[in-house]
Amino acid sequence: MPPTRNHRGDRRGRGGDNRRPGGPRRTGRPQDLVRRTAFDVVRAVQDRDAYANLLLPRKLADRELTGRDAALATELTYGTLRGLGTYDAILALCSDRELRRVDDELLDVLRLGAHQILATRIPPHAAVGTAVDLARSVSGPGQAKFANAVLRKVATRDLDGWLEIIAPDDADETTRLSLVHSHPGWIVDAMRDALGADRAEIGDLLAADNARPRVTLVARPGRATLEELYEAGAGPASHAPTAAVLPEGDPSAIAAVREGRAAVQDEGSQLVALALAEAPLEGRDERWLDIAAGPGGKAGLLSAIATRRGARLLAADLQPHRAALVGHAVDERAGVIVADGTAPAWRPAAFDRIMLDAPCTGLGALRRRPEARWRRGPGSVPELAALQRRLLARALEAVRPGGVVAYVTCSPHLAETRVVLDDVLAGRDDVERLDSPAVLRTVAPELTGVGDGPWAQLWPHRHGTDAMFLALLRRR
């Protein structure tokens, strides 16, 4: 069941509360501010398509929430966004109104309350009480009574008890998995298809999407070292030789991160960039290109490696603000331009190594962007796949004979990965598919479970990374 969204125009608070315009009502109690902060982010995601991973840190800083208060606000925000589909199914059984008739603001309060009751250690009576207080603040006393009645019903069972009702064992597999793991049904089907022969792992994969991801750092070669990150409190990562894991604390408190010599970057993202850098070439190795480089994670790593080898990276992005972010990530030897990869600003056959991290549905990063599962529908896939095919065709024109293109997506969806490759390469005899798993093993020798080639697929439930897809293509 997808989350219910109500788009009626009146979004004003009810009951004559004394909220400050544009901000939470100040009650003097930190816990009120914690919950109001989570509510404000969830509401912005639902109402304005905001990105929680960008908005929440700003809210926490503006409201001076740190430590346990910041951790609780983060859990309430991300947990609610992950669980929308499951919570809406439960709330629908506990409400005497159809959810589409519940005001947007109040519905998000109910979702936050359901998450507190069913998925945190907060005692149910306290979870109900704080949610009712929040409902009174944003919707007035009359709606607070409704919230109290609904959430008291939610609290009559634990999550497993509700799942037995909304997702019984005799339900069809897609429906049951969709409700148990709070994923839209079309994503469940797409993930199962991408697993192929390993489709029995679908439950583990969906569960991994709902697990809190580790904070992974990259030590950009020649600019920072793993030892420096370890001394700052990080520990070893699982696979990438450039990666470290920060178990707790603020990454920006680390000097190397503040100075741009290190950064927060998923380990899968690091691995595919390292694989491009290690892919076997024929001939010179001097000019590298990142076609859709924003916001700059892979470009930052590639530019550091290129500089150490005496090569130079050119990073391009269509959006000026994303190109600006890339400029902060790369070193001084790299070039950054605003350019459309489908209408190249460079000569054909000009580059030795090319990174194409193609725009995609982002289904591989649902751990870090939980709202993405509700933001797109299956209708978005054909449009994105058409763009991916155009970008890949242009990338193959831009690489010289003997050079290598890395086609990367943060999505395992077959229509965005193998189908794109097959469509673009059909009838071409000038492109060789390299053994991507073998190249990855030169970077991370103990890495397994990425496929038998020629493409490679990383998985959250196997590798603890985003579900990054990698295909290495060499022009003959």
Side-chain angles (χ1 to χ4, degrees), residues 249-268:
D250 181 1
S252 64
I254 299 175
V257 174
R258 288 198 309 273
E259 296 163 4
R261 298 180 292 110
V264 176
Q265 186 177 10
D266 178 73
E267 196 170 4

Side-chain angles (χ1 to χ4, degrees), residues 238-251:
S238 302
H239 306 293
T242 51
V245 174
L246 186 65
E248 59 184 4
D250 181 1

Side-chain angles (χ1 to χ4, degrees), residues 3 29 50 68 87 93 149-150 158 167 209 228 251 264 279 294 332 334 391 460:
R29 294 191 300 171
R68 296 178 65 180
Y87 298 149
L93 295 180
V150 171
D158 62 12
D209 278 347
E228 182 178 2
V264 176
E332 64 280 355
L391 286 168

